[in-house]
Amino acid sequence: MKLMIVESPGKTKKLQELLSEIRPSETWRVVASVGHVRDLPSTGQGDGEITTGVRADFTPIYELTERGREVVTRLQRDVARADEVYLATDPDREGESISWHLKDALGLKNPIRIAFGEITEAKVREALAAPRRIDMRRVSAQEARRVVDRLVGYLVSPELKRQTGVKLSAGRVQSVAVYVVAVREREIKNFKVTNHFGVRLTFAGAKIGEQWCAEWLTGEGFTTSDNPYFMDRGFAEKVAQVRQVMVLSYDESPASRNPPAPFKTTTLQKAASNALGFDPDETMKIAQNLYEKGHISYHRTDNPNVSEEAMPDIRAVAKKLGLEVVEKRRNFSAGDDAQEGHPGITPTHWDVESAGDNDAEKALYKLIRIRAIASQLLAARYKVSTVVLETLEPVDGKLLRFGAKGRTLIDPGWLQLLSTDTADDADEDETETVNSIPTLADGERVFASTGELQEKKTKAPSRFTKASLIGALEAAGIGRPSTYAAIWANICAREYVGMADKRFIKMLPTGDLLVSRLEDEWGFMDMGFTRGMESELDGVATGSKTFKEVIEKMYVSLAADLQRQQSAVPTKAPEVFPCPDCNKPLRYVAKGAHGPFWGCTGYPDCSTSLPDVRGKPGARKKVELTNFLCEKCSKPLVHRQKKGKGGYDFWGCSGFSDGCKESYKNVKGAPDYSSAK
């Protein structure tokens, strides 16, 4: 028997079917590791460690996770019966690392490493025909990322708590992401509105009912780069009275607009947020499902290009749609930091118009497919008209100039397929798009039908949306495509940021406190340092950097900052919270039956407990008394419910703290008194 180990259980059925078709004479078994089976431990394992899970020489210590122990036990039985073991984890650094952990944990001597960017017959055949060894450089790069992240968490977080008395968690990339949001909030808060003026002249077009507009060019002698706004309302009102002007220059030129690139990980997350309202982590989960079912190519990539071998399929689909494809495959820039070789995110079967098991999957698949097809269609072609006008008579002794630019669509090209696409933020000049300027001649006089004074205000920067935050992080070189969904989920779960008006991101008080303690004090918060660390991690994957030199650089920086902080910032005494019932201090209990909570130090004499809310005692849960009475003591009953694993649904006596332990089963929303305990 040949054994193939993949990451996700969702892939096993599809691969089992493909292998029976590709190699019908062989017996195959496809099983899943369900991701990582080992991790750095959460508690120390020796005096030689500089921090949890990492020895003094920076060597990581790994242990099987609780789930990993069960998985390894199961896999060992399959390995014992296999003649060959194929490690087919995902085709990225994380997948390479998982393969290495499986090899080590299962004691595999000569496992065969294969990877495929699409779960299709062609790609699986291709992978089986090109077996290889585990790429230890890529494993080291992933391992280095894991260790530097652990160093930040375990060196910086305790120091933050020492300084503030509040449980704060620092992250190498997550904290910088919170800082980016904080900077934008400050820009908005400190922004000062500038009122200024402009003038727009409107002219009759070449056809009945058509109009075109020209804007006063205030930069022509009325404003400067230091003061770009015209603020003299009285003069602007005079300019708005201008009606007769002369054509100083008129020009027509062809222009084209290429389609957007196929999606890569970041652009898919941004597009799904704009067009479908999906969170980044939701998008990645849906894309994972589509990938596992064989509908799309691998969705963790920063290469925005289709493969050459996909072009015949694109041509065939375009022909059915009556659209034209470029003669030679159109390439898009992958960026200097692109690290993986797989192509952009595309359908695996281009002729399949709809795929997925639910509305969300179908919507995301459609977004991916249409964008990928459009990327290879002909460019949209325009005629661009540009005119500069000048007043015949000076206004207060000054000749004025007006400018207009417009374009007329000649050939829609790819816009026939993607004209209603809402995946990207709008970046087109609406005035330019609809400005139908007629053919004019130099020296020709034209007459404005109206002149409009434009009262303008400068606008503050917008708060980030989930999509624009991903764009900002990518532009700054912070994190990597596969990490953005996790970054967002992390900073939200820790309540460093939240949502305003359901769309925009805002800072929360805990996030403000975190940033105030980290910025200007810790080197890893510098965006240049963070960007450089990403490049060095890439260097480990290519062999230009070693694991140890990258880790040492990070540790030296953190250790120096830590020493300076400990000597300069006094320890803040922990805040004491009195018990609302007996006034004795409350104590924080990290591991309660239902999570962390605050309990009275006077226990067992006082059994008061309060929920934990961001490191502080929260309000006591209000008990809602009902009209149902306890048969034992006649006090009101309370309906107690908890959904999910370990949940319950019963009626208990409100006199529980006074010694009445009576409880009843819930039957159709009422206590079943016959079930009294």
Side-chain angles (χ1 to χ4, degrees):
M1 180 191 77
K2 298 182 187 298
L3 180 68
M4 179 180 288
I5 304 176
V6 296
E7 289 183 41
S8 172
K11 302 176 186 177
T12 57
K13 182 179 178 181
K14 179 75 173 177
L15 285 168
Q16 192 79 55
E17 294 172 354
L18 290 174
L19 289 169
S20 65
E21 296 174 7
I22 296 169
R23 295 188 175 179
S25 62
E26 299 174 346
T27 301
W28 283 85
R29 176 169 169 76
V30 184
V31 295
S33 71
V34 200
H36 276 284
V37 295
R38 300 197 306 189
D39 197 2
L40 299 171
S42 57
T43 55
Q45 290 188 356
D47 296 335
E49 297 176 25
I50 55 172
T51 188
T52 301
V54 183
R55 294 190 179 92
D57 63 354
F58 303 113
T59 305
I61 304 167
Y62 292 110
E63 64 180 20
L64 291 170
T65 62
E66 184 175 346
R67 179 190 54 76
R69 282 193 290 272
E70 298 175 3
V71 171
V72 168
T73 299
R74 169 173 55 81
L75 292 178
Q76 282 173 335
R77 292 194 292 266
D78 292 319
V79 168
R81 293 182 289 134
D83 302 318
E84 290 182 322
V85 178
Y86 287 74
L87 299 176
T89 50
D90 288 348
D92 55 13
R93 294 178 192 174
E94 196 78 18
E96 206 73 20
S97 177
I98 290 172
S99 278
W100 175 75
H101 280 287
L102 287 169
K103 174 182 179 293
D104 201 49
L106 294 170
L108 303 176
K109 293 184 178 179
N110 295 299
I112 300 168
R113 173 73 170 124
I114 62 171
F116 28 78
E118 300 174 6
I119 303 180
T120 59
E121 182 178 337
K123 290 299 181 182
V124 174
R125 281 185 185 275
E126 187 180 306
L128 290 171
R132 60 176 175 83
R133 295 177 181 273
I134 294 172
D135 186 339
M136 291 308 299
R137 286 179 174 176
R138 300 177 80 196
V139 173
S140 292
Q142 191 278 337
E143 192 171 50
R145 177 183 292 279
R146 190 77 181 89
V147 171
V148 295
D149 288 346
R150 178 60 66 96
L151 288 175
V152 172
Y154 280 83
L155 291 177
V156 181
S157 297
E159 176 61 14
L160 292 177
K161 186 173 183 180
R162 182 189 73 82
Q163 293 181 19
T164 65
V166 177
K167 187 178 180 181
L168 297 172
S169 178
R172 181 182 64 89
V173 179
Q174 290 93 330
S175 295
V176 180
V178 177
Y179 172 70
V180 169
V181 178
V183 170
R184 176 60 60 88
E185 288 277 357
R186 293 172 192 168
E187 291 173 348
I188 295 170
K189 183 178 180 180
N190 297 330
F191 181 80
K192 294 182 179 180
V193 175
T194 299
N195 295 304
H196 60 109
F197 303 95
V199 172
R200 173 181 291 175
L201 300 183
T202 301
F203 303 85
K207 298 179 182 179
I208 296 176
E210 278 189 347
Q211 292 182 328
W212 61 281
C213 301
E215 305 285 338
W216 176 31
L217 301 176
T218 56
E220 298 283 333
F222 293 91
T223 60
T224 65
S225 57
D226 293 332
N227 185 17
Y229 304 112
F230 187 80
M231 293 180 282
D232 185 340
R233 182 190 182 97
F235 187 85
E237 288 176 339
K238 293 179 181 178
V239 176
Q241 301 303 312
V242 170
R243 292 294 180 270
Q244 189 173 9
V245 291
M246 179 184 68
V247 177
L248 201 61
S249 66
Y250 175 81
D251 179 68
E252 287 184 1
S253 60
S256 62
R257 180 182 169 201
N258 284 330
F263 290 125
K264 54 184 182 176
T265 303
T266 50
T267 54
L268 178 64
Q269 291 175 22
K270 290 187 285 185
S273 176
N274 285 330
L276 305 175
F278 293 165
D279 281 345
D281 54 340
E282 182 183 6
T283 297
M284 295 306 286
K285 288 174 183 176
I286 297 170
Q288 179 75 30
N289 291 339
L290 290 171
Y291 166 65
E292 290 174 359
K293 294 167 185 173
H295 298 315
I296 64 170
S297 61
Y298 193 54
H299 53 293
R300 290 187 175 90
T301 176
D302 45 18
N303 178 4
N305 288 292
V306 299
S307 61
E308 186 65 52
E309 63 192 44
M311 289 304 294
D313 291 325
I314 297 175
R315 294 184 195 283
V317 172
K319 186 176 181 180
K320 283 185 179 180
L321 296 172
L323 303 172
E324 291 186 69
V325 177
V326 290
E327 290 185 13
K328 184 179 179 182
R329 179 172 63 98
R330 183 183 281 115
N331 281 314
F332 299 87
S333 173
D336 296 335
D337 295 330
Q339 58 180 254
E340 305 296 354
H342 359 294
I345 307 169
T346 66
T348 54
H349 302 288
W350 293 79
D351 58 332
V352 176
E353 294 184 14
S354 179
D357 295 336
N358 53 54
D359 290 343
E361 290 181 6
K362 290 176 182 177
L364 191 64
Y365 175 83
K366 181 180 179 181
L367 204 67
I368 291 168
R369 179 177 181 266
I370 295 299
R371 176 69 74 99
I373 295 171
S375 73
Q376 301 305 315
L377 298 181
L378 295 181
R381 295 189 299 113
Y382 300 87
K383 179 190 79 172
V384 176
S385 302
T386 305
V387 63
V388 176
L389 309 168
E390 189 174 68
T391 53
L392 296 175
E393 300 291 336
V395 176
D396 285 358
K398 296 179 181 180
L399 290 174
L400 313 176
R401 288 185 179 181
F402 298 81
K405 190 174 183 179
R407 64 183 186 182
T408 303
L409 183 64
I410 298 173
D411 183 349
W414 64 272
L415 288 171
Q416 295 174 81
L417 184 65
L418 208 58
S419 60
T420 58
D421 178 49
T422 58
D424 291 319
D425 294 320
D427 59 0
E428 293 298 311
D429 186 332
E430 187 175 328
T431 301
E432 177 186 328
T433 301
V434 300
N435 216 17
S436 301
I437 302 173
T439 301
L440 300 170
D442 291 358
E444 181 180 351
R445 296 186 180 188
V446 290
F447 297 85
S449 56
T450 61
E452 177 190 358
L453 174 69
Q454 294 177 301
E455 299 186 53
K456 304 178 181 181
K457 291 182 179 181
T458 54
K459 294 182 179 180
S462 297
R463 274 177 163 159
F464 285 116
T465 62
K466 297 166 193 173
S468 62
L469 177 60
I470 288 172
L473 296 177
E474 183 182 29
I478 299 169
R480 281 293 179 258
S482 60
T483 66
Y484 292 131
I487 290 170
W488 171 250
N490 186 295
I491 62 178
C492 282
R494 297 187 185 281
E495 297 186 317
Y496 296 149
V497 301
M499 299 304 297
D501 301 324
K502 296 183 179 180
R503 184 165 182 254
F504 295 100
I505 300 171
K506 65 177 181 179
M507 288 292 294
L508 295 178
T510 309
D512 284 326
L513 177 61
L514 177 77
V515 170
S516 70
R517 291 293 176 167
L518 290 176
E519 66 175 324
D520 302 326
E521 302 295 343
W522 296 88
F524 78 91
M525 288 292 289
D526 180 83
M527 292 210 271
F529 183 93
T530 304
R531 184 168 53 249
M533 178 56 65
E534 294 293 348
S535 296
E536 295 201 357
L537 291 170
D538 291 345
V540 176
T542 60
S544 62
K545 296 284 184 180
T546 66
F547 171 91
K548 188 174 181 179
E549 66 180 304
V550 171
I551 303 302
E552 280 185 338
K553 178 178 180 179
M554 188 63 164
Y555 179 65
V556 168
S557 173
L558 288 171
D561 289 340
L562 179 62
Q563 183 178 17
R564 178 172 47 79
Q565 289 281 294
Q566 289 177 336
S567 61
V569 182
T571 300
K572 181 176 180 178
E575 191 172 355
V576 177
F577 301 99
C579 173
D581 293 327
C582 70
N583 214 37
K584 290 183 178 179
L586 294 173
R587 67 184 180 92
Y588 176 77
V589 181
K591 294 184 178 181
H594 306 294
F597 70 95
W598 292 79
C600 182
T601 54
Y603 183 84
D605 297 330
C606 178
S607 58
T608 297
S609 65
L610 298 173
D612 176 65
V613 179
R614 297 197 293 274
K616 294 183 179 182
R620 194 195 304 266
K621 290 184 179 180
K622 185 178 179 181
V623 177
E624 295 186 8
L625 303 179
T626 68
N627 293 326
F628 295 108
L629 302 179
C630 175
E631 284 193 330
K632 185 177 180 179
C633 69
S634 299
K635 290 185 177 180
L637 296 180
V638 177
H639 190 188
R640 303 189 183 278
Q641 291 177 295
K642 179 186 175 185
K643 296 182 179 180
K645 188 177 180 180
Y648 46 79
D649 187 3
F650 69 94
W651 294 79
C653 182
S654 59
F656 182 85
S657 59
D658 297 327
C660 184
K661 313 296 184 184
E662 203 77 356
S663 65
Y664 311 91
K665 290 182 179 179
N666 177 50
V667 177
K668 296 181 180 180
D672 178 8
Y673 287 104
S674 65
S675 65
K677 294 182 179 179

